[in-house]
């Protein structure tokens, strides 16, 4: 018998947990962000970072860096919509737990928890402690898929 993932009560709990880490959307935020509708949405609706691979580079750390700095790799001095910068924690969630939720797969992937697939990378440095413009330069030391080291 088919069971729709939309019937899963855990999805509501998963979304609630995710949103607890995002500033709440209230009228004062809306007023202060009136010039930036996307800013209000970004703060109130979980979003993911993604690429149109194979026409653009598949590099989660580059996507995180761009979300945090809003700079262009072609012109590092240019900053696009500085007010739209993401926090490092939100940018990291936007390449991990949020896409898992959007794919209806948060019970299997997106975070390291007992019972989930152990898909992760071991980084040489913590992206939360390096300079924001150096996030894409962090070396990947190991890659693990389904609990097995693959690189």
């Amino acid at each position: 018998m088919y069971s729709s993932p939309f019937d899963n009560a855990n999805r509501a709990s998963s979304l609630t947990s995710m949103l607890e880490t995002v500033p709440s959307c209230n009228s004062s935020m809306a007023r202060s962000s009136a010039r930036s509708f996307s800013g209000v949405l970004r703060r109130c609706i979980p979003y993911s970072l993604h690429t149109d691979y194979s026409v653009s580079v598949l590099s989660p750390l580059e996507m995180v860096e761009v979300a945090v700095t809003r700079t262009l790799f072609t012109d590092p001095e240019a900053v696009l919509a500085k007010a739209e910068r993401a926090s490092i924690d939100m940018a990291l969630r936007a390449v991990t737990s949020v896409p898992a939720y959007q794919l209806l797969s948060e019970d299997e992937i997106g975070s390291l928890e007992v019972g989930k697939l152990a898909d992760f990378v071991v980084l040489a440095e913590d992206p939360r402690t390096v300079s924001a413009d150096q996030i894409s330069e962090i070396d990947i030391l190991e890659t693990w898929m389904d609990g097995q080291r693959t690189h």
Side-chain angles (χ1 to χ4, degrees), residues 61 112 118-127 138-145 148-151:
L61 289 175
L112 292 176
D119 298 346
F120 62 94
V121 294
V122 177
L123 302 175
E125 298 176 81
D126 183 344
I138 297 173
D139 288 329
I140 298 172
L141 302 177
E142 299 176 13
T143 302
W144 291 71
M145 295 293 296
Q148 302 293 315
R149 185 176 174 180
T150 59
H151 171 74

Side-chain angles (χ1 to χ4, degrees), residues 86-107:
S87 70
I88 183 64
D89 289 331
M90 190 63 218
L92 290 171
R93 281 192 299 276
V95 294
T96 56
S97 59
V98 175
Y101 176 81
Q102 292 171 333
L103 292 169
L104 307 177
S105 299
E106 72 275 11
D107 291 336

Side-chain angles (χ1 to χ4, degrees), residues 15 18-19 22-23 25 37-48 90 98 102:
L15 179 59
M18 192 183 316
L19 289 175
V22 179
C25 185
F37 179 69
S38 64
V40 173
L41 290 177
R42 183 170 52 83
R43 288 174 182 86
C44 302
I45 299 173
Y47 63 93
S48 61
M90 190 63 218
V98 175
Q102 292 171 333

Side-chain angles (χ1 to χ4, degrees), residues 63-117:
M63 292 186 291
V64 168
E65 181 177 316
V66 169
V68 172
T69 64
R70 299 290 295 167
T71 57
L72 301 171
F73 286 106
T74 56
D75 184 3
E77 300 303 313
V79 176
L80 299 174
K82 184 176 181 177
E84 297 298 313
R85 289 178 172 163
S87 70
I88 183 64
D89 289 331
M90 190 63 218
L92 290 171
R93 281 192 299 276
V95 294
T96 56
S97 59
V98 175
Y101 176 81
Q102 292 171 333
L103 292 169
L104 307 177
S105 299
E106 72 275 11
D107 291 336
E108 299 174 358
I109 61 174
S111 61
L112 292 176
E113 298 178 48
V114 174
K116 291 186 177 185
L117 298 175

Side-chain angles (χ1 to χ4, degrees), residues 1-8 11 103-104:
M1 173 194 256
Y2 174 74
S3 174
S4 168
F6 293 108
D7 296 333
N8 187 343
R11 288 195 49 75
L103 292 169
L104 307 177

Side-chain angles (χ1 to χ4, degrees), residues 124-143:
E125 298 176 81
D126 183 344
R128 296 169 298 178
T129 61
V130 301
S131 173
D133 63 349
Q134 295 298 308
I135 294 170
S136 65
E137 302 301 317
I138 297 173
D139 288 329
I140 298 172
L141 302 177
E142 299 176 13
T143 302

